[in-house]
């Protein structure tokens, strides 16, 4: 069974590829989770973040945005001492800031799902990439998403991070056309 080449690096990445990557997500908790994880990934490999995902779930109260939005200095310091996550002060602080901004978007749009999916017209963009090299780092849609998120106070949401977020949450199908998941999603 043919798979995207990036998924063959480790069993963890292969499982993620086979079961999650590119599957449309409409659950606000999971959308928030990916927002935090993609921001944490900046400058690191996705494999690193996948290996720490369970640590993130525990450290960030199962990605409950309301709880994360209320983190105080004591909680932030505890997170910065936690080896189960990436201990980067800017990224940890951004998670709290993003939780606060996330809640504002939920109030404005009734849910984050309605807001974020508008950048692809409410349905996944189905690409037809032949190789991993054909996949861009960003697109006009991720540029627009990044710009709007930044205006709303989000951090670690550059266009490349937004495009990775779109791929992870199924807003775009970037499985290569020869991958068995391409036709399933």
């Amino acid at each position: 069974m043919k798979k995207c080449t990036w998924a063959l690096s480790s069993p963890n990445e292969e499982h993620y590829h086979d079961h999650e990557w590119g599957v449309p997500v409409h659950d606000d908790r999971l959308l928030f989770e990916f927002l935090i994880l993609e921001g944490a990934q900046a400058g690191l490999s996705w494999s690193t973040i996948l290996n720490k995902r369970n640590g993130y779930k525990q450290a960030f109260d199962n990605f409950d945005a309301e709880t994360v939005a209320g983190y105080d200095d004591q909680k932030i310091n505890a997170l910065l001492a936690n080896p189960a996550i990436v201990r980067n002060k800017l990224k940890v602080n951004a998670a709290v800031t993003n939780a606060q901004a996330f809640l504002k978007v939920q109030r404005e749009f009734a849910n984050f799902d309605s807001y974020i999916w508008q950048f692809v017209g409410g349905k996944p963009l189905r690409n037809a990439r032949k190789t991993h090299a054909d996949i861009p780092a960003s697109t006009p849609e991720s540029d627009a998403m990044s710009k709007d998120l930044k205006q709303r106070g989000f951090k670690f949401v550059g266009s490349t991070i937004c495009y990775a977020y779109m791929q992870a949450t199924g807003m775009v199908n970037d499985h290569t056309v020869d991958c068995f998941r391409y036709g399933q999603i």
Side-chain angles (χ1 to χ4, degrees):
M1 185 170 1
K2 189 90 168 142
K3 297 182 184 192
C4 296
T5 55
W6 67 264
L8 305 175
S9 300
S10 72
N12 206 11
E13 285 175 293
E14 189 170 5
H15 183 269
Y16 172 69
H17 168 274
D18 292 356
H19 300 282
E20 287 188 83
W21 194 69
V23 175
V25 173
H26 294 285
D27 173 74
D28 272 15
R29 194 215 55 83
L30 191 52
L31 288 167
F32 180 64
E33 177 179 343
F34 277 113
L35 187 68
I36 299 306
L37 294 176
E38 291 294 348
Q41 188 266 332
L44 302 170
S45 71
W46 184 242
S47 177
T48 298
I49 301 306
L50 276 181
N51 290 336
K52 291 183 176 279
R53 190 175 185 183
N54 286 332
Y56 268 92
K57 282 183 182 181
Q58 291 176 355
F60 283 89
D61 293 287
N62 199 35
F63 299 102
D64 180 89
E66 198 160 322
T67 302
V68 176
Y71 284 177
D72 58 14
D73 288 343
Q74 183 178 351
K75 175 65 175 183
I76 290 170
N77 287 333
L79 289 169
L80 292 172
N82 186 342
I85 66 167
V86 174
R87 294 175 288 179
N88 177 296
K89 189 171 187 169
L90 292 175
K91 291 177 182 182
V92 169
N93 284 329
V96 177
T97 299
N98 288 352
Q100 294 163 352
F102 186 90
L103 295 175
K104 288 178 187 172
V105 168
Q106 281 184 320
R107 286 192 293 274
E108 182 179 344
F109 289 85
N111 54 51
F112 192 77
D113 177 60
S114 297
Y115 162 75
I116 205 69
W117 276 84
Q118 72 179 333
F119 294 100
V120 292
K123 62 182 183 179
L125 302 177
R126 187 172 174 86
N127 295 316
R129 316 287 189 198
K130 291 185 176 160
T131 69
H132 185 69
D134 296 334
I135 300 173
S138 64
T139 62
E141 293 85 3
S142 68
D143 293 345
M145 180 188 292
S146 173
K147 182 179 178 184
D148 198 76
L149 286 167
K150 286 177 183 177
Q151 289 173 345
R152 293 175 182 278
F154 287 83
K155 305 289 184 200
F156 282 90
V157 288
S159 189
T160 300
I161 289 171
C162 285
Y163 195 65
Y165 180 81
M166 293 169 74
Q167 292 171 314
T169 60
M171 296 174 74
V172 297
N173 181 351
D174 267 346
H175 287 279
T176 52
V177 293
D178 61 349
C179 174
F180 83 99
R181 291 293 283 158
Y182 179 77
Q184 291 180 349
I185 295 178

